[in-house]
Amino acid sequence: MQKSLKLALGSFLALSLALAGCGQSGGNATPPQTEQGQEGAAADPIALDIGMLKLTSSAPLFIGIEKGFFAEEGIEANATWFDAAQPIAVATASGSVDVGATGITASLYNMVAGGQKLVIVADKGREQAGYSSSALLFPSDSPLNSIEDLKGKKVGITQTGSTYHYMAGRLLENHGLTLQDIELIPLNNIKGLMEALKSKQVDAVLLNEPNISTVVEEGYGKVVAQIGDEMDYQTSGIFFSPALAENKDAAQRFLRAYIKSSRYYYDAVLNKENGEVVPGENYEEVVNIIAQYTDQEPDMIKKGMPYMDRDGKLLESDIKTQVEWYAKEKLIDQVIDTTEIVNTQLLEDALQSLGK
């Protein structure tokens, strides 16, 4: 079914339900609820294409498909695979996919500044104190002892304008340095970062899990700082195409399923006892689902699970902080009004309709 037809179907169904059964008007009318807080059986299925990467941070989407949370909301969730982050944002803005799930980068903000539209609606990964997600590493036998020692040194990142670029800049600023005090070395990908650290072509790198754990276990790198302990940072998000964001029925149904999936993930792999992360009841099941979708071994998945908000809530204020920082560093052409690209109300409405 073509995109316009899919979304038109969702709008027609929402309007029909509102007029025939709810006695309310407009797209904001509360849909009929079952005891579980889902839409009633009168809501026909809609198909949504979801652009994503084969990464652990896509876990709630994998869970939603495998556990039937999307199906419960009458959604046929079609995974559309990409090899890089930026094409997902482009595809979402153009409507080639309905939902995009990827990192929030300078390229995305430049795309928006250039007139393309999309809406960031939910969390898909963030840096949080007490959890290992991204970190700064030195070679294990480095003579350097602190971030302050990096002045005049080489620091490896993936690409200019990437989340790693942002983390490096903010981390340095927290310790009295700037990007001008170091030599920033773009190495294109994670494999390049790990090889450069191992061969000591750089003095430090930014890495994510499970690669942090791999480097430490293999003995050629040591963690100097966990990014989450240094700053709150919304690294990734769930994006809606403009058409989906305007289709309240379809948007609410997707987000209710996503919240259920996020809670399932959180309770399985991120719960803490006495300050330590402990496996939850569905830990092995979630690990195996992630392994199935990412083509990785379960033991590799277990090395590092990215932090996500249990209810899928965005760090809305951090989006503004990012835009201002990228503009200061001249990595985006202009400061954009983040209220035009962030919509947290859709998620709040979905949470309210779930009733818990």
Side-chain angles (χ1 to χ4, degrees), residues 119-139:
V119 183
I120 309 173
V121 297
D123 173 42
K124 185 192 162 284
R126 67 169 71 167
E127 299 296 335
Q128 182 80 10
Y131 291 87
S132 180
S133 183
S134 300
L136 180 76
L137 291 89
F138 290 175

Side-chain angles (χ1 to χ4, degrees), residues 125-356:
R126 67 169 71 167
E127 299 296 335
Q128 182 80 10
Y131 291 87
S132 180
S133 183
S134 300
L136 180 76
L137 291 89
F138 290 175
S140 55
D141 59 353
S142 172
L144 308 181
N145 297 308
S146 68
I147 295 170
E148 289 82 358
D149 293 339
L150 284 174
K151 187 169 184 178
K153 305 300 182 180
K154 296 179 179 179
V155 177
I157 62 168
T158 50
Q159 296 176 335
T160 300
S162 65
T163 56
Y164 290 85
H165 193 159
Y166 179 82
M167 287 188 282
R170 289 288 309 281
L171 192 61
L172 290 167
E173 290 170 2
N174 284 357
H175 292 265
L177 299 175
T178 70
L179 289 171
Q180 286 66 48
D181 291 317
I182 65 162
E183 184 179 354
L184 207 60
I185 309 294
L187 293 164
N188 296 320
N189 53 47
I190 297 298
K191 182 179 179 182
L193 289 172
M194 295 171 75
E195 291 175 347
L197 183 71
K198 190 172 187 177
S199 62
K200 301 178 187 177
Q201 297 176 51
V202 294
D203 300 289
V205 297
L206 274 300
L207 278 178
N208 63 348
E209 289 285 15
N211 304 296
I212 297 167
S213 295
T214 297
V215 167
V216 172
E217 287 175 8
E218 293 184 4
Y220 63 88
K222 60 183 179 182
V223 174
V224 179
Q226 290 284 351
I227 301 301
D229 294 337
E230 293 280 337
M231 63 182 184
D232 293 331
Y233 174 32
Q234 187 69 59
T235 57
S236 304
I238 297 293
F239 312 140
F240 280 178
S241 68
L244 178 57
E246 292 174 4
N247 184 331
K248 295 296 196 303
D249 171 61
Q252 290 293 293
R253 289 159 69 177
F254 176 89
L255 287 171
R256 282 197 296 270
Y258 187 74
I259 292 164
K260 295 173 196 174
S261 301
S262 294
R263 289 172 175 175
Y264 202 90
Y265 171 81
Y266 187 101
D267 292 344
V269 305
L270 293 177
N271 263 330
K272 283 188 172 184
E273 291 181 7
N274 301 318
E276 297 293 327
V277 178
V278 295
E281 179 181 356
N282 301 305
Y283 179 81
E284 292 293 340
E285 178 192 21
V286 166
V287 167
N288 288 329
I289 288 173
I290 295 170
Q292 172 189 337
Y293 276 83
T294 60
D295 301 323
Q296 296 186 66
E297 292 299 320
D299 286 346
M300 178 64 72
I301 301 297
K302 291 177 181 180
K303 288 183 178 182
M305 303 284 194
Y307 182 87
M308 297 179 211
D309 184 78
R310 188 174 183 272
D311 288 335
K313 291 185 176 181
L314 274 171
L315 286 171
E316 183 179 4
S317 61
D318 185 58
I319 304 298
K320 187 173 186 295
T321 300
Q322 291 179 40
V323 167
E324 292 172 347
W325 187 89
Y326 281 124
K328 173 176 70 73
E329 294 295 323
K330 296 182 171 38
L331 291 167
I332 60 176
D333 298 330
Q334 64 187 64
V335 175
I336 59 175
D337 182 359
T338 56
T339 63
E340 295 183 1
I341 62 168
V342 175
N343 184 330
T344 58
Q345 191 60 51
L346 288 170
L347 185 79
E348 291 298 331
D349 290 345
L351 283 165
Q352 184 175 2
S353 70
L354 280 173
K356 57 183 177 178

Side-chain angles (χ1 to χ4, degrees), residues 9-30:
L9 173 61
S11 297
F12 173 78
L13 288 168
L15 181 58
S16 298
L17 287 168
L19 292 175
C22 298
Q24 299 180 39
S25 61
N28 292 317
T30 303

Side-chain angles (χ1 to χ4, degrees), residues 50-62 65 78-89 92 97 99-105 124 159 163-164 190 208 235-239 289-290 292-296 301 306 308:
I50 306 171
M52 63 179 106
L53 301 168
K54 292 187 175 185
L55 300 176
T56 303
S57 60
S58 298
L61 297 168
F62 307 154
I65 294 170
N78 301 316
T80 303
W81 302 109
F82 288 78
D83 295 322
Q86 180 61 12
I88 296 178
T92 307
V97 298
V99 179
T102 191
I104 303 172
T105 65
K124 185 192 162 284
Q159 296 176 335
T163 56
Y164 290 85
I190 297 298
N208 63 348
T235 57
S236 304
I238 297 293
F239 312 140
I289 288 173
I290 295 170
Q292 172 189 337
Y293 276 83
T294 60
D295 301 323
Q296 296 186 66
I301 301 297
M308 297 179 211

